[in-house]
């Protein structure tokens, strides 16, 4: 009888020891799945559908009063708008987004607002957003490199070339050894633009090619086309014939990817240096 | 005398009637010829263009050429060239030539998805310069149902392989579910025997019980590993199934307008399968095997469009 009791107790202890798996409530699960699906589509470059999924996820999170989930998905949605060039829409969305008491989200909101304002050319307002972001990103901030890059973009837009170069270099140092290829490419592009603006054509060309290498590896057509435009701009100050090759590359990439705005820019650049656009 | 007078009057009347009939017939003939000319487009002004294709499949003389869905011209000539390629000439009404930019391309599309092929001129982004007469335009073919079907098949094949691998692993007589369940059954039978004989074998039961419990634990660990393996592979497989279903739904939606009614059920079938997959994901025991995805984290990109270098 004692043995039976011991066995029963052992089985009971075993059952208690193995915690049953926690299953998420269906609505939360659906929200997380929509968000995850959106993130996968964003990675694949399907930004339109990604935005739709993030909006759906934000709505589902709102329906269960999950403020953190709402904020996170609204930030994803703002990023999807920014990558599609919908800067006004992103700005409106960010203005209406509550950080839900999360310091990381508050920082993201400021940084994405700065991005949108830079896209819209409202450089005076960028300064405020960046100052607020810098205050939130003191100490060992994981977003410091991105913040430096935005500060470099702002300085470049303000024609403060030395500041731009300093911020881009600082970002490059912070990005060393990190799995942040997109940001590293952005840093090299900024270094190239700053060096070009300061008259260091050879250094600018090296940095622009470094950015191009990364963007090719990431297979991002818009960035690749703009890298070629930048290379063309730098080479135009050296020799017009080499610039023509770079502009034609930009044109070919833009046409193949259906990027109308960059196609126009590249065609105009070719005309500016007296070259005819090659007929397809 | 009066008879002769009457005859002359009748003859004149007949001549007048004949003349009137001949004039009317000539006018009708001229009108008919003019109508035929207009109908055939022989009197309208056209501009000729050309393109080169790899094959003349779905291209025929007289085929409609459209801009934004409006018929604006037709294919006038299809020739096999010495190098094996196909030279195609076509005409566009002069009134509509203003839409043919120098970087326009001509695309061979199917009406709906499986309808008759038509040529569509797609104007290029540079609207400042028009294509010259006799200009050679770029040519491309839009994906037809066959290409889309191939794409769907390419996406399905890896999923079927995954399903095969998982079912194979689960059905493995030694390491899969049957083997594990058989071992558990054997262990529980041993436990029953042990309990039945408990009173009689009180002396030696301690060590035996420990051995049986150890075996049971081992079996359960084995089952855990099997389910863990399934857990690792199922989410990916179901996710890919969802992606393919997205694709099938899109194709079905496009085909809805033109595909025969028997094929229209594709959209409903895809929706049903999506519901089944979605339902399966929420049903025990699969729901307990698949973790809900963690909150997503997008890679940082402070300049997603690369505008820092050369914005405009």
């Amino acid at each position: 009888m004692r043995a039976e009791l011991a066995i029963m107790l052992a089985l009971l202890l075993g059952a208690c020891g193995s915690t049953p798996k926690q299953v998420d409530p269906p609505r939360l699960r659906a929200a997380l799945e929509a968000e995850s699906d959106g993130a996968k589509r964003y990675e694949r470059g399907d930004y339109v559908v990604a935005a739709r999924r993030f909006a759906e996820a934000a709505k589902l999170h709102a329906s269960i009063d999950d403020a953190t989930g709402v904020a996170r998905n609204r930030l994803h949605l703002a990023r999807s708008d920014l990558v599609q060039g919908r800067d006004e829409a992103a700005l409106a969305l960010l203005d209406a987004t509550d950080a839900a008491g999360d310091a990381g989200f508050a920082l993201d909101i400021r940084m994405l607002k700065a991005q949108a304002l830079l896209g819209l050319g409202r450089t005076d307002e960028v300064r405020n957003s960046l100052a607020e972001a810098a205050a939130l990103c003191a100490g060992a901030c994981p977003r410091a490199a991105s913040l430096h890059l935005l500060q470099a973009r702002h300085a470049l837009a303000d024609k403060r070339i030395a500041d731009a170069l300093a911020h881009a270099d600082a970002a490059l140092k912070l990005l060393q050894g990190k799995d942040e290829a997109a940001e590293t490419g952005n840093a090299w592009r900024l270094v190239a633009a700053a060096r070009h603006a300061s008259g260091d054509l050879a250094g600018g060309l090296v940095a622009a090619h470094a950015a191009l290498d990364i963007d090719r590896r990431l297979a991002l057509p818009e960035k690749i086309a703009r890298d070629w435009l930048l290379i063309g701009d730098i080479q135009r100050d050296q020799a017009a014939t080499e610039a023509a090759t770079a502009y034609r590359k930009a044109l070919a990439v833009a046409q193949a990817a259906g990027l109308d705005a960059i196609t126009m820019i590249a065609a105009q650049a070719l005309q500016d240096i007296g070259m005819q656009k090659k007929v397809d | 005398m009066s008879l002769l007078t009457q005859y002359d009057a009748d003859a004149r009347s007949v001549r007048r009637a004949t003349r009137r009939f001949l004039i009317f017939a000539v006018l009708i003939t001229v009108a008919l010829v003019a109508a035929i000319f207009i109908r055939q487009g022989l009197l309208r002004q056209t501009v000729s263009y050309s393109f080169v294709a790899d094959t003349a499949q779905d291209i025929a003389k007289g085929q409609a050429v459209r801009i934004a869905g409006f018929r604006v011209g037709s294919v006038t000539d299809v020739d096999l060239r010495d190098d094996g390629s196909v030279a195609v000439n076509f005409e566009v009404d002069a009134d509509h030539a203003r839409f043919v930019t120098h970087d326009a391309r001509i695309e061979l599309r199917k009406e709906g998805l499986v309808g008759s092929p038509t040529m569509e001129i797609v104007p290029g982004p540079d609207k400042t310069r028009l294509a010259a007469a006799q200009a050679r335009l770029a040519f491309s073919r839009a994906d037809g149902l066959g290409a889309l079907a191939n794409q769907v098949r390419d996406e399905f094949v890896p999923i079927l392989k995954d399903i095969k691998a998982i079912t194979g692993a689960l059905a493995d007589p030694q390491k899969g579910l049957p083997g594990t369940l058989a071992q558990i059954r054997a262990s529980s039978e041993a436990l029953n025997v042990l309990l039945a004989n408990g009173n009689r074998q009180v002396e030696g039961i301690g060590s035996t019980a420990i051995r049986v419990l150890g075996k049971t634990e081992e079996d359960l660990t084995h089952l855990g590993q099997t389910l863990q393996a399934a857990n690792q592979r199922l989410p990916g497989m179901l996710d890919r199934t969802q992606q393919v279903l997205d694709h099938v739904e899109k194709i079905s939606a496009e085909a809805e307008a033109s595909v025969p009614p028997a094929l229209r059920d594709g959209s409903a079938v895809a929706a049903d399968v999506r519901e089944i997959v979605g339902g399966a994901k929420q049903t025990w025991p699969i729901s307990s095997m698949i973790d809900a995805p963690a909150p997503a984290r997008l890679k940082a990109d402070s300049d997603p469009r690369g505008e820092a270098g050369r914005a405009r």
Side-chain angles (χ1 to χ4, degrees):
Chain A
M1 194 64 196
R2 270 184 313 187
E4 282 175 7
L5 196 64
I7 291 165
M8 291 298 285
L9 279 172
L11 287 171
L12 201 63
L13 279 171
C16 293
S18 61
T19 319
K21 191 166 181 172
Q22 186 75 36
V23 179
D24 293 310
R27 212 163 173 84
L28 174 61
R29 198 184 179 92
L32 289 169
E33 274 177 354
E35 182 181 352
S36 166
D37 187 43
K40 281 174 195 157
R41 288 173 191 278
Y42 185 94
E43 294 299 323
R44 286 203 296 267
D46 186 4
Y47 302 118
V48 177
V49 183
R52 214 158 52 220
R53 298 293 276 155
F54 290 142
E56 190 185 328
K59 204 171 166 186
L60 282 164
H61 278 294
S63 74
I64 52 173
D65 199 19
D66 178 3
T68 309
V70 173
R72 194 175 57 242
N73 280 285
R74 287 176 77 94
L75 288 172
H76 294 333
L77 188 55
R79 279 170 195 257
S80 306
D81 281 340
L82 285 171
V83 78
Q84 291 176 81
R86 290 159 41 84
D87 297 324
E88 286 279 15
L91 199 57
L93 181 70
L94 290 164
D95 279 333
T97 299
D98 178 23
D102 187 302
F105 289 165
L107 174 60
D108 279 345
I109 288 171
R110 265 63 169 197
M111 287 173 67
L112 290 173
K113 270 175 90 168
Q115 241 176 277
L117 290 166
L118 277 166
L120 293 167
R122 288 155 60 175
T123 44
D124 285 340
E125 292 167 70
V126 176
R127 190 173 293 113
N128 297 334
S129 287
L130 286 179
E132 287 172 12
L136 290 165
C137 191
C141 173
R143 308 294 311 278
S146 297
L147 183 58
H148 272 300
L149 290 176
L150 287 170
Q151 285 167 329
R153 277 183 73 184
H154 181 230
L156 201 60
D158 257 356
K159 307 269 188 284
R160 291 180 283 113
I161 309 303
D163 278 357
L165 201 53
H167 279 300
D169 278 335
L172 266 181
K173 273 185 196 139
L174 287 169
L175 289 165
Q176 264 177 7
K178 285 190 180 163
D179 181 24
E180 297 278 5
E183 289 290 61
T184 309
N186 293 337
W188 278 117
R189 195 177 312 105
L190 278 161
V191 169
R195 284 180 183 167
H196 177 220
S198 69
D200 176 9
L201 300 182
L205 207 54
V206 170
H209 275 289
L212 177 64
D213 285 346
I214 292 170
D215 293 336
R216 270 178 174 162
R217 212 164 56 233
L218 295 172
L220 300 168
E222 191 162 5
K223 288 190 177 185
I224 293 169
R226 287 196 198 272
D227 288 339
W228 275 118
L229 283 176
L230 180 58
I231 290 169
D233 288 351
I234 298 169
Q235 286 178 330
R236 188 177 55 189
D237 294 343
Q238 291 178 320
T241 48
E242 283 180 22
T245 310
Y247 287 144
R248 284 204 182 100
K249 289 261 194 189
L251 185 66
V253 172
Q255 280 181 332
L259 303 167
D260 293 351
I262 302 181
T263 302
M264 300 279 273
I265 295 171
Q268 186 60 50
L270 277 169
Q271 273 181 8
D272 289 348
I273 58 168
M275 296 285 173
Q276 280 295 314
K277 192 171 81 171
K278 261 187 184 173
V279 178
D280 293 326
Chain B
M1 188 66 190
S2 66
L3 268 174
L4 281 173
T5 308
Q6 181 62 37
Y7 176 76
D8 280 350
D10 288 348
R12 269 200 303 276
S13 170
V14 168
R15 270 203 302 275
R16 265 202 310 274
T18 309
R19 203 180 302 129
R20 264 193 233 119
F21 175 76
L22 283 174
I23 290 168
F24 182 71
V26 166
L27 284 174
I28 289 288
T29 309
V30 168
L32 273 173
V33 168
I36 290 167
F37 271 42
I38 290 166
R39 180 73 186 153
Q40 292 293 319
L42 297 175
L43 298 177
R44 70 190 158 92
Q45 289 209 324
T46 58
V47 183
S48 295
Y49 303 99
S50 66
F51 65 85
V52 176
D54 292 338
T55 161
Q57 190 189 351
D58 291 338
I59 302 173
K61 196 172 171 181
Q63 193 171 1
V65 174
R66 297 172 191 273
I67 292 176
F70 290 92
R71 185 187 171 121
V72 295
S74 61
V75 173
T76 54
D77 211 3
V78 183
D79 276 331
L80 185 63
R81 302 202 312 181
D82 292 340
D83 60 358
S85 59
V86 178
V88 182
N89 294 313
F90 64 97
E91 286 179 344
V92 171
D93 293 347
D95 291 349
H96 294 105
R98 68 181 187 279
F99 297 113
V100 187
T101 57
H102 71 106
D103 52 354
R105 61 192 166 79
I106 186 149
E107 196 171 278
L108 182 66
R109 294 176 180 172
K110 298 268 188 174
E111 281 177 352
L113 201 62
V114 291
S116 58
T118 58
M119 299 283 181
E120 179 84 22
I121 296 174
V122 184
D126 185 0
K127 312 269 192 245
T128 55
R129 204 147 51 90
L130 296 181
Q134 311 294 338
R136 180 182 291 177
L137 304 185
F139 169 73
S140 62
R141 282 171 193 269
D143 281 349
L145 193 61
L148 291 172
N150 283 338
Q151 205 179 337
V152 172
R153 189 200 57 198
D154 291 347
E155 290 189 36
F156 254 124
V157 168
I159 292 169
L160 290 176
K161 281 183 180 167
D162 279 355
I163 291 170
K164 199 176 165 188
I166 290 171
T167 51
L170 288 172
D172 188 300
Q174 298 298 321
K175 296 176 183 170
L177 273 177
T180 310
L181 290 172
Q183 284 172 3
I184 290 170
R185 198 181 305 117
S187 299
S188 55
E189 278 168 9
L191 196 62
N192 285 338
V193 170
L194 182 71
L195 288 171
N197 299 330
N199 288 334
R200 291 199 300 275
Q201 298 171 0
V202 170
E203 299 297 317
I205 204 162
S207 59
T208 316
I210 288 164
R211 200 170 60 243
V212 172
L213 282 172
K215 180 79 171 56
T216 309
E217 189 184 349
E218 198 179 296
D219 293 342
L220 287 169
T221 310
H222 198 164
L223 177 64
Q225 281 169 356
T226 309
L227 292 177
Q228 199 178 359
N231 189 16
Q232 281 170 359
R233 304 192 69 168
L234 265 173
M237 187 192 82
L238 290 170
D239 186 46
R240 289 170 69 180
T241 312
Q242 290 277 22
Q243 284 175 25
V244 173
L245 289 172
D246 282 349
H247 210 93
V248 172
E249 270 192 338
K250 206 160 71 185
I251 293 169
S252 301
E254 283 176 20
E256 208 165 343
S258 55
V259 176
L263 293 176
R264 280 189 199 152
D265 293 342
S267 179
V269 170
D272 286 350
V273 177
R274 177 194 298 285
E275 266 182 31
I276 291 166
V277 172
K281 283 168 86 173
Q282 289 170 14
T283 309
W284 187 90
I286 294 176
S287 64
S288 62
M289 291 159 79
I290 302 170
D291 291 319
R297 190 174 162 75
L298 304 181
K299 284 257 180 199
D301 190 349
S302 59
D303 186 11
R305 304 177 65 210
E307 288 177 314
R310 175 72 135 85
R312 47 188 69 83

